[in-house]
Amino acid sequence: MSSVAANKVTNILVVGVGGQGIILAGEILADVALNAGFDIKKSEIHGMAQRGGSVNSQVRFGKQVFSPVIPRGEADILLSFEKLEPLRWIEYCNAKTVAIVNDHSIHSLTTATGLQRYPDNVEDELNARFGNLFLIPAQDIAENIGNPRVVNVVLLGLMASMLDFDKENWLDALKKRLKPKFIDINLKAFESGYTFFSE
């Protein structure tokens, strides 16, 4: 699948819970699109808390992009680091939206404190609402690599395999954004996601 088209604005919505590296993933994606020669616009919304609140990064790229905000119903890809978050952002999606979702539940501040109930049938809801759903065991992959915190890069790698950007472009962006001591484990995480469908 490719969502990169010369005359089209591609909209990618990255969502999750605070502390999962959503903003970093958005920055890496924006770097890749910019290095490929696209005009890019990016916006992000942090939850009420650094950890536990809902966070999203919106990245738009194309020949010319005027607004950093994805119009409702126009997300081409929804990249979610937590299983419930896609349902919170369903109004930004459409019948063709590709949903790449970490098969892992994290209780946000609202569910942990009892203000909201975490639904039991999240997977059924996802299957009902997304025709192009990829429910990925990214948490397990990251833990097998040796660091559960690289889930974001595992999922980024998987999404990268669906886009027409050069792999080296992704690797350069990762190296640019990461501290040297974290580069090796994140490159391994990226490769695990990038090759997920070919293994």
Side-chain angles (χ1 to χ4, degrees), residues 26 40 103 163:
I40 72 109
D103 189 6
L163 296 170

Side-chain angles (χ1 to χ4, degrees), residues 24-129:
L24 174 62
E27 289 172 344
I28 292 169
L29 172 59
D31 286 347
V32 169
L34 186 63
N35 291 339
F38 288 95
D39 183 25
I40 72 109
K41 296 288 186 297
K42 181 170 75 73
S43 67
E44 52 202 39
I45 298 175
H46 300 256
M48 291 179 64
Q50 183 177 2
R51 293 186 181 275
S54 183
V55 178
N56 81 81
S57 179
Q58 302 184 24
V59 181
R60 311 186 71 211
F61 58 88
K63 186 175 181 180
Q64 191 170 26
V65 183
F66 296 102
S67 169
V69 178
I70 298 173
R72 283 172 169 77
E74 293 190 20
D76 295 294
I77 297 177
L78 173 69
L79 182 66
S80 181
F81 297 170
E82 195 277 338
K83 197 155 59 171
L84 181 61
E85 287 298 310
L87 301 179
R88 299 184 195 277
W89 295 93
I90 193 71
E91 64 185 310
Y92 284 83
C93 302
N94 58 63
K96 295 182 179 179
T97 299
V98 174
I100 303 168
V101 182
N102 180 19
D103 189 6
H104 183 70
S105 300
I106 298 176
H107 287 270
S108 67
L109 289 175
T110 53
T111 57
T113 56
L115 294 175
Q116 288 183 345
R117 180 177 170 275
Y118 199 101
D120 298 323
N121 60 339
V122 175
E123 191 168 332
D124 291 340
E125 284 290 320
L126 290 173
N127 280 303
R129 291 172 178 255

Side-chain angles (χ1 to χ4, degrees), residues 143-159:
E143 289 175 2
N144 289 335
I145 289 170
N147 189 337
R149 291 181 60 80
V150 297
V151 165
N152 60 338
V153 179
V154 171
L155 289 165
L156 205 59
L158 191 144
M159 184 180 69

Side-chain angles (χ1 to χ4, degrees), residues 159-177:
M159 184 180 69
S161 72
M162 298 180 173
L163 296 170
D164 280 343
F165 296 122
D166 290 339
K167 185 179 180 182
E168 288 301 318
N169 189 348
W170 288 98
L171 299 180
D172 288 345
L174 281 165
K175 292 172 185 175
K176 171 188 172 184
R177 289 288 178 178

